[in-house]
Structures are given as C-alpha cells and as structure tokens.
Amino acid sequence: MPPLPPSTSPLPRIVTYYQTHHDDAGNPISVLPLITQPGIALTHVILAAIHINEHPDKITLNNHHPSDPRFLTLWAEMRVLQASGIKVLGMLGGAAKGSYQRLDADEDQFERYYGPVRDMLREHGLDGLDLDVEEEMSLGGVVRLIDRLRSDFGPNFIITLAPVAMALLDFTKNLSGFDYEALEVMRGRDIAWYNTQFYCGWGDFSNPLMYDYMIRKGWPPEKIVVGLITNPANGGGFVSWNPLGMVLTTLRGRYSKFGGVMGWEYFNSMPGGTERPWEWAREMTKLLRGHLLTQPAAPPVNAATKPKEESPLKKNEIDPDAPGGKDTQVPAQFEYFTDSSDDEQ
C-alpha cells in the first residue's frame, strides 16, 4: 500500500461523494482503491444519502435502513478508510424532500426526527455530517440543527453544507430557503466548509471568474470547496480535463488557502469510468496534493549535524476538519444512474 497523507491533511481538500454503492448486478462498488492505488491523497468521503422519512425511526441510506445487510461491506470499508486517515461524513438530504421540513418544526417534532439520525451517526462512528438542504428551511432551523450537532458530537465533528454556487453570490438564487451569508455570520465558526456546486446550471467552473467573485465578495477561500461533476452522465456542467486543469492550477497558485475540490460522484468518475473510478482522485492529487506524495526523506541526524528547521508544509499546516467552514449543495434534479430509486438525490 502506498504511503498515506496524515489525517490532519493540509489544504487543498479532495472530497468525493459516494452514493451509488452497488452495480447493476447488486455487487458492492468498492472505495478501497482510493487507499490501495498509488498516487492518491484523498482527504474526505461523503456517504450519501441519509433520508428522514415520515416515521422517525425509519431513516434510510438511499432506499434501505442503514442496518440493512446490503451495507455490511460498505460499513466495513468506511472503517478501513478512517483507519487510513480519510475522514468519512454522512450526507443528509438531497433532492428527496422532506428531511429538513421534518426538522424545521417545533422542539418536540425536532427531537423525534433528529434522534434517530444522531444515533446512526454515533453507531457508525462517522466523522461529520454534510447538510444538503434542497428544500425550504428557515435560518433558525438550520442554526438549531448545527448547534445540536456541535453539542452532541463535540468540537472535532465536521459540519459542512452543500449550497449551489449561485447561493454564495446571490441569496435569492438557492435551493435552501435561508441566506448562506447570514448563516456564515451566525455560525461560520462551526461550519468547516461549503461543498459548492458549480454545475447543473448553478455555477460555471470552465474559468476562474465565478470563484474569484466569491472571494471578492468576502468568502474565505479555505471554506469554498469547488463541486464538480465527475462524469457528463451525472449532470450538466462537466468540465473537460484540459480547461479544468488550467483553472485549478490558476486558483491553486492565486490562493494559498484554496479550499479544494469535491466530485459528484465516485462510482463512474472520469477518466477511468465505472471500471477505474479512483482515477479521478489520482488526477486531482496530481493537480492539488502531489507534493504530499513526493516529499524527500529527511537526512540522517547525528551529533555534528544541526537539526533542520521544521518544513514550511508542517508549519503552515491547516486542519480542514476544525469547525468553521462550509458545505455544498447538491444540484437540481437530473437523471443519472444510481443503485437507488428516484426518491434520492
């Protein structure tokens, strides 16, 4: 197995969503190549999609309860990823509406619907939760949810959100109802980053202009993780490799705290497609985190050798898992292959 980056990985992040868990024949789609294949320095996997249904105890991961036997391999692999230094988050919500409407209610109803989600996160030891709000929710409702997660899981629990890109430039153009700028002012310290969707008509990443506008508007670059479509079959706005590489290289050089990229989604990521979906993470590592895999070994130290200064990388290391960033929103409705039915993201 190739050497892995430390768990407290510096920026930029490389994040992949994992919603399609099985192929057409029902066989599990493994994510272990993300740690066994060479040249990959992935930082986070976001497991999708958790849904809150009408009966509070009948939460689902896609279409089945998280304890369903079909997920035995999945949960085992999530533990292996975590043991290898990759943080694993769950994703709550998505295109299937209802989860946040049920949470955005009076205290009694909130407790009934929040409790099973909290218990599932604890049972499986997830490192965080991505709030993918694609329905109307009040600002007070999302603040209450963030406060409760922080209270229940402590300061190291990763809370992200998933706005569409336009929501960070114009509060009227979003799928969530609340104003993300107001949320950042009120609870930015608890939001690790925003998985910002630059696709499906909500953003454009064929050039750096939209990202630059966000930074000029005041968004910290370390809190904007650029959301990308990993395959044209997954939605509109796919950016081919040549222009994508140029834009990422430009922004990586322009902003020392560039937040990173996320891909929707893992199972058919280009350039490898369904046969080799981990190649997307390898290409992103080359562009953004290759230096972590090519650092020279430290020379031997003896009594006559003056200890060398700590490397700049370690001095400037940024822990992307500390509270204070933002999450990204899942795209508008679109058609693509998944092992779940159309009630999902």
Side-chain angles (χ1 to χ4, degrees):
M1 183 182 295
L4 294 167
S7 59
T8 53
S9 303
L11 299 174
R13 308 173 187 91
I14 300 177
V15 184
T16 187
Y17 278 83
Y18 178 44
Q19 178 171 24
T20 301
H21 311 138
H22 300 83
D23 63 20
D24 288 331
N27 302 308
I29 297 173
S30 177
V31 292
L32 293 186
L34 292 168
I35 58 173
T36 60
Q37 291 293 319
I40 298 175
L42 191 80
T43 61
H44 300 81
V45 167
I46 302 180
L47 179 63
I50 302 164
H51 300 305
I52 299 173
N53 300 300
E54 184 174 358
H55 191 291
D57 293 328
K58 295 187 181 299
I59 61 172
T60 50
L61 179 59
N62 291 341
N63 291 330
H64 301 83
H65 194 275
S67 63
D68 191 281
R70 69 188 279 114
F71 296 129
L72 288 175
T73 298
L74 179 150
W75 291 122
E77 291 196 355
M78 294 302 102
R79 291 191 292 273
V80 172
L81 291 183
Q82 290 173 313
S84 300
I86 293 174
K87 300 295 186 182
V88 177
L89 290 72
M91 188 203 87
L92 176 65
K97 295 177 173 54
S99 294
Y100 292 100
Q101 178 269 325
R102 293 179 175 105
L103 291 172
D104 194 17
D106 60 49
E107 288 296 329
D108 287 343
Q109 179 169 316
F110 174 82
E111 292 296 333
R112 289 198 306 274
Y113 285 106
Y114 169 78
V117 176
R118 175 202 59 212
D119 295 344
M120 187 273 287
L121 295 173
R122 285 175 173 166
E123 178 182 356
H124 295 288
L126 294 182
D127 298 300
L129 189 63
D130 180 46
L131 306 179
D132 183 8
V133 188
E134 292 194 19
E135 57 185 305
E136 289 287 320
M137 188 178 197
S138 68
L139 181 61
V142 72
V143 166
R144 176 175 61 182
L145 177 57
I146 291 170
D147 287 350
R148 188 58 182 275
L149 289 168
R150 181 63 65 225
S151 174
D152 287 343
F153 292 96
N156 295 322
F157 190 76
I158 305 167
I159 300 173
T160 62
L161 283 94
V164 295
M166 277 304 301
L168 301 190
L169 295 174
D170 182 347
F171 76 93
T172 67
K173 295 180 171 61
N174 81 64
L175 300 174
S176 309
F178 55 83
D179 183 341
Y180 279 90
E181 288 187 52
L183 179 62
E184 174 68 8
V185 170
M186 296 178 67
R187 290 297 183 274
R189 66 183 182 275
D190 289 312
I191 299 169
W193 71 85
Y194 296 90
N195 293 303
T196 310
Q197 299 173 61
F198 284 76
Y199 46 84
C200 289
W202 294 101
D204 177 18
F205 203 68
S206 62
N207 61 67
L209 291 178
M210 194 168 190
Y211 187 94
D212 284 336
Y213 286 145
M214 291 177 180
I215 305 309
R216 291 172 188 170
K217 191 174 178 63
W219 290 100
E222 65 269 24
K223 298 190 75 169
I224 306 299
V225 169
V226 175
L228 302 168
I229 286 289
T230 60
N231 187 307
N234 295 350
F238 177 80
V239 182
S240 58
W241 283 105
N242 284 342
L244 178 60
M246 289 188 288
V247 174
L248 286 174
T249 300
T250 297
L251 294 177
R252 180 78 171 94
R254 187 172 293 169
Y255 304 106
S256 62
K257 294 184 178 181
F258 178 64
V261 296
M262 73 81 165
W264 179 266
E265 60 167 316
Y266 170 74
F267 86 103
N268 63 350
S269 299
M270 301 294 285
T274 56
E275 296 299 315
R276 300 172 62 87
W278 58 85
E279 290 186 358
W280 179 87
R282 179 183 291 164
E283 294 302 315
M284 289 299 163
T285 298
K286 290 178 185 177
L287 288 169
L288 300 176
R289 291 172 62 83
H291 60 285
L292 294 178
L293 303 179
T294 59
Q295 293 188 51
V301 177
N302 55 53
T305 303
K306 182 181 178 181
K308 294 186 176 294
E309 289 187 359
E310 188 179 22
S311 71
L313 176 63
K314 189 172 182 180
K315 281 184 179 180
N316 299 328
E317 184 169 312
I318 297 171
D319 182 1
D321 303 329
K326 267 195 176 177
D327 189 354
T328 213
Q329 172 86 6
V330 176
Q333 298 278 355
F334 56 85
E335 297 294 329
Y336 66 101
F337 171 80
T338 178
D339 67 345
S340 56
S341 75
D342 58 6
D343 70 336
E344 301 165 17
Q345 178 175 340

